Amino acid sequence: MALIVQKYGGTSVGDLKRIGKVAKNVAKIHSAGNDVVVVLSAMAGVTDQLVRLASQITDNPHRRELDVLLATGEQTTVALLCITLESMGYPARSLLGYQAEILTDRAFGQARIVQINVNRLKTLLSERKIIAVAGFQGRDRKGNITTLGRGGSDTSAVALAAALNADVCEIYTDVDGVYTTDPNICSTARKLHEISYDEMLEMAGLGAKVLQVRAVEFAKKFNVVLHVRSAFNEEEEGTMVVEENTNMEQLVVSGVTYTKDQARITMTKVPDKPGVASKILTAIADANIVVDMIIQNTRKGGLTDITFTVPKTAYKQAMAIEQEIAQQIGAENVFGDENIAKVSIIGVGMQSHSGVAAKAFTALANENINIIMISTSEIKISCVIEEKYTELAVRTLHNAMVLEET
Ligand code: ADP
Ligand code: ASP
Ligand code: MG
């Protein structure tokens, strides 16, 4: 008998028929004598719809209240699953994040799990109940409902698996594993039999939304056996996320990712003197806005331009802040662009190979894709481009850098 944590994503619980399929999967495993904790997302599109509703009222919804709203999507699905299971004759209990005692910090909209008290879960399991926990949510010390950031149900599942010391955490989704790039936009993407925690961390951190990055962090830290697989096809073996091992393919570039969730802000003709960049970026940090890429280019005459990226969700707020700062420091202008995307190539093998960047830039140039910003580390290269070229850039980089090696 095993203790199995399963997580089903939005598409996998998108309608009653699919919830019925999930119920059958879960019932089968339970009947075989296993303990099962199921973590669910909201139905596909529901969280987006709730975000839109709030944004019709204001650009800047109260963050505590927004979390109360967003958490409702998952409440619906856990209840529907348990109603289905009970009607099939299986004992099932739904728990919201706070009922499962998932404690978080109070960073509304991007809360981090700090502790899970598993007593209630263990009691229910000992009574042979199937437990369905609402993903993506917890509560802070004062009892406020918090959410864990988009895609956060993955993290709920892995954290529960770690806290319960589960034998495996299975992430059921609408693709049948982790691929070298998003299979929905690149037909030559290749499914990986296994991937190391570190490479998965990079991929997730740079946009591969098949797993939320914090879920991978938890899995690595607590050695959770993480298995990504298809909710629609049980035959598919999926992808195991594991410690790095010697059998793994050692590719120079192992994956390509993209994200459209950033916006760019540029301040022009900034006085080029100590303390100015600090002033520009401190104001953003003070507003709890996370800056990703930063570049500064020099002009003549003691002036410089500074460009950086922020989450699209914080774009308007960041623009307003910088317009004020520009006045204070005597910069010429502030302008921004929300229609950008960041494409990245990832591979631990890059650190020992030269010419990777040159090859990637050439591939993009051959497709006439202009690179707006670049950032590199030992194991990744990211380029900001115009959003409309995202899919083309992903396919181009994948075919030039990943496919060619294999
Ligand atoms: P869920 O609702 O099940 O959590 P998500 O939409 O969050 O599903 O994540 C699954 C999606 O991730 C896939 O449909 C796919 O488009 C996308 N994706 C992006 N990069 C990858 C990748 N490297 N491998 C697999 N899927 C990827
Ligand atoms: N429903 C939430 C979202 O859409 C959480 C999740 O699906 O993991 O982001
Ligand atoms: Mg997801």
Side-chain angles (χ1 to χ4, degrees):
M1 196 193 84
L3 169 53
I4 298 173
V5 174
Q6 299 192 325
K7 178 255 169 178
Y8 291 86
T11 317
S12 320
V13 292
D15 56 36
L16 287 181
K17 196 165 156 221
R18 289 187 165 163
I19 290 177
K21 169 120 175 39
V22 170
K24 271 192 203 135
N25 276 1
V26 173
K28 194 165 120 192
I29 291 169
H30 184 260
S31 298
N34 302 296
D35 286 335
V36 197
V37 175
V38 194
V39 175
L40 298 186
S41 292
M43 289 180 171
V46 165
T47 310
D48 286 335
Q49 201 184 327
L50 293 167
V51 170
R52 273 198 303 274
L53 267 180
S55 71
Q56 282 168 28
I57 306 171
T58 162
D59 275 349
N60 200 4
H62 191 280
R63 291 169 69 182
R64 178 190 183 279
E65 300 313 323
L66 186 61
D67 274 7
V68 175
L69 177 69
L70 297 192
T72 59
E74 275 72 9
Q75 178 161 352
T76 309
T77 48
V78 287
L80 289 172
L81 178 68
C82 289
I83 291 170
T84 310
L85 282 165
E86 285 285 345
S87 75
M88 290 161 60
Y90 288 86
R93 279 286 177 285
S94 64
L95 295 177
L96 301 182
Y98 78 89
Q99 294 171 317
E101 296 200 48
I102 298 176
L103 301 182
T104 72
D105 62 18
R106 53 167 317 180
F108 296 113
Q110 50 184 18
R112 282 181 183 271
I113 297 175
V114 292
Q115 197 192 326
I116 301 180
N117 183 350
V118 291
N119 291 342
R120 183 166 181 185
L121 291 163
K122 283 198 165 151
T123 306
L124 288 168
L125 288 175
S126 71
E127 295 164 0
R128 285 290 288 152
K129 299 256 181 355
I130 296 170
I131 308 175
V133 180
F136 177 56
Q137 55 178 267
R139 72 159 169 89
D140 72 3
R141 274 210 327 245
K142 290 190 171 159
N144 298 299
I145 293 173
T146 53
T147 66
L148 310 180
R150 298 307 303 270
S153 299
D154 298 332
T155 303
S156 309
V158 178
L160 281 166
L164 288 164
N165 209 357
D167 295 282
V168 61
C169 180
E170 299 177 331
I171 305 287
Y172 287 88
T173 183
D174 57 2
V175 285
D176 50 26
V178 179
Y179 281 70
T180 48
T181 192
D182 187 342
N184 286 326
I185 66 169
C186 180
S187 61
T188 51
R190 198 163 52 83
K191 193 173 85 182
L192 300 165
H193 179 63
E194 56 179 15
I195 183 169
S196 71
Y197 290 123
D198 288 331
E199 249 163 359
M200 193 65 237
L201 266 180
E202 284 297 325
M203 297 258 293
L206 290 166
K209 72 175 179 142
V210 62
L211 285 174
Q212 199 198 36
V213 65
R214 284 181 186 165
V216 190
E217 282 168 11
F218 259 105
K220 180 176 154 85
K221 189 164 166 195
F222 297 102
N223 258 307
V224 175
V225 180
L226 191 54
H227 188 182
V228 179
R229 47 191 312 192
S230 166
F232 309 124
N233 184 352
E234 285 158 60
E235 311 291 296
E236 282 291 342
E237 58 173 15
T239 302
M240 299 300 300
V241 186
V242 295
E243 274 307 338
E244 195 166 323
N245 63 59
T246 48
N247 294 330
M248 284 181 163
E249 298 177 64
Q250 293 298 326
L251 297 177
V252 177
V253 175
S254 52
V256 177
T257 61
Y258 66 94
T259 151
K260 299 181 179 178
D261 64 8
Q262 299 273 313
R264 174 174 68 101
I265 295 179
T266 298
M267 198 181 291
T268 53
K269 293 198 181 167
V270 177
D272 193 7
K273 58 183 187 205
V276 169
S278 152
K279 195 151 195 185
I280 291 171
L281 295 168
T282 303
I284 295 287
D286 287 346
N288 277 321
I289 298 171
V290 180
V291 170
D292 180 22
M293 290 160 94
I294 304 168
I295 53 171
Q296 172 173 340
N297 26 357
T298 31
R299 288 175 181 253
K300 287 194 181 127
L303 296 173
T304 179
D305 294 340
I306 294 183
T307 300
F308 56 91
T309 59
V310 295
K312 246 176 214 169
T313 48
Y315 174 67
K316 284 188 183 138
Q317 192 190 356
M319 278 295 278
I321 291 170
E322 291 305 345
Q323 260 139 9
E324 207 157 285
I325 298 281
Q327 284 209 329
Q328 284 173 23
I329 61 179
E332 179 196 55
N333 204 355
V334 183
F335 58 91
D337 185 359
E338 286 186 274
N339 300 315
I340 59 164
K342 179 170 81 171
V343 290
S344 306
I345 60 177
I346 294 145
V348 284
M350 256 189 241
Q351 43 197 333
S352 51
H353 277 74
S354 58
V356 182
K359 192 172 166 192
F361 300 157
T362 306
L364 292 175
N366 288 342
E367 294 295 336
N368 254 321
I369 300 171
N370 188 36
I371 302 171
I372 302 167
M373 298 172 84
I374 298 169
S375 91
T376 63
S377 79
E378 283 185 323
I379 60 169
K380 68 118 204 274
I381 299 167
S382 297
C383 300
V384 170
I385 58 168
E386 273 183 77
E387 185 173 343
K388 65 180 180 196
Y389 294 125
T390 312
E391 286 75 16
L392 177 62
V394 168
R395 286 194 283 268
T396 302
L397 289 173
H398 182 264
N399 295 348
M401 314 297 294
V402 184
L403 262 197
E404 198 165 271
E405 280 192 71
T406 54

